[in-house]
Amino acid sequence: MASRAEDYAYRVLWSQEDGAYVATVAEFPSLSCVEESQADAFFGIVNVVTAVLEDMREAGEEIPVPYSNRHYSGKFALRIPPEKHRQLAIEAAEQHVSLNQLVVSRL
């Protein structure tokens, strides 16, 4: 399925430095749109992504898969210092839960 601009992960935040709202899109970290209102920033970045997608298709470039269309297993590996691992294992035992349950509750 072809990616649409609406499928991407957008964020609009107030920028004190810019004195305006800045909209970004996770899959295209180099793109942004600065506007006076949240709505204008959001719709502005969607329009920018629409144009970029069109250009990428015309150029035959690989288009990033939106996070909303990616498949996740629900698993990921995490490396932590051995002492932190020990502390978490003890805390999980004290709470009568698995280490996995403890860590998930913290996320």
Side-chain angles (χ1 to χ4, degrees), residues 4-13 22-33 41-42 44-50 52-53 64-67 70:
R4 304 169 308 146
E6 296 82 7
D7 297 334
Y8 289 96
Y10 297 96
R11 178 176 291 200
V12 180
L13 298 172
V22 179
T24 58
V25 57
E27 296 86 347
F28 293 93
S30 64
L31 301 180
S32 65
C33 180
F42 173 72
I45 193 67
V46 172
N47 289 335
V48 169
V49 171
T50 299
V52 167
L53 289 173
V65 176
Y67 285 109
R70 296 179 189 186

Side-chain angles (χ1 to χ4, degrees), residues 49-61:
V49 171
T50 299
V52 167
L53 289 173
E54 194 173 298
D55 289 346
M56 291 179 79
R57 284 188 184 100
E58 288 175 7
E61 295 178 38

